[in-house]
Amino acid sequence: MKPSAILESALYVTDLDAAEAFYRDVIGLERIAKVDGRHVFFRCGEGILLLFNAEATRHAPPPDAKLPVPPHGAVGQGHLCFATTAAEIEDWKATLEAHDVAIEADFEWPSGGRSIYFRDPSGNSIEFAEPRIWNP
């Protein structure tokens, strides 16, 4: 037996409000949940992007918590890749540049497919890539 898909992915951010604005206004994701100072969650296709204030999630929940999620967190720059088509990459570049988001890398993979890389407000490395980079 093996999992059929990744249901959610998490990034840890240093400024939750700036991250929320970036993923909502620049990337265009739909916010589905928020707890001020702790997290904001977005729908992305069939999956969910979880953005956490790492400091707020390092601590165990109280014993009577309704949702006793264990502590978690990460320090440093994470990475997330969004799937996109070759035709959409130029549109994404224009959108990012219109929001003063610098493109750090733009290249074709040896096995085929293009990627562009940029940073979110917390310094996480974000990528738009053609899915064929993994399925040539």
Side-chain angles (χ1 to χ4, degrees):
M1 187 164 59
K2 64 181 179 178
S4 62
I6 294 175
L7 179 62
E8 57 190 38
S9 295
L11 288 174
Y12 295 89
V13 300
T14 55
D15 183 331
L16 203 54
D17 292 333
E20 178 181 8
F22 180 81
Y23 286 95
R24 180 192 62 223
D25 301 339
V26 178
I27 306 301
L29 298 180
E30 171 196 359
R31 187 183 83 189
I32 59 170
K34 180 178 181 177
V35 172
D36 286 330
R38 186 180 190 283
H39 66 253
V40 60
F41 299 163
F42 292 93
R43 182 164 310 286
C44 183
E46 293 185 26
I48 305 297
L49 173 59
L50 310 172
L51 301 178
F52 289 106
N53 171 343
E55 190 56 39
T57 60
R58 290 184 208 279
H59 310 287
D64 62 342
K66 182 178 177 182
L67 300 171
V69 176
H72 55 86
V75 176
Q77 300 166 340
H79 173 70
L80 182 71
C81 180
F82 292 103
T84 191
T85 67
E88 292 170 332
I89 287 181
E90 286 303 318
D91 293 337
W92 277 114
K93 281 183 71 173
T95 296
L96 294 166
E97 289 167 354
H99 286 90
D100 295 320
V101 177
I103 305 299
E104 285 190 317
D106 179 348
F107 60 89
E108 294 280 335
W109 288 91
S111 60
R114 182 177 173 196
S115 287
I116 59 172
Y117 288 81
F118 54 97
R119 299 282 169 173
D120 75 4
S122 294
N124 291 302
S125 176
I126 309 300
E127 177 184 9
F128 281 114
E130 295 177 71
R132 67 188 178 115
I133 68 172
W134 290 107
N135 302 307

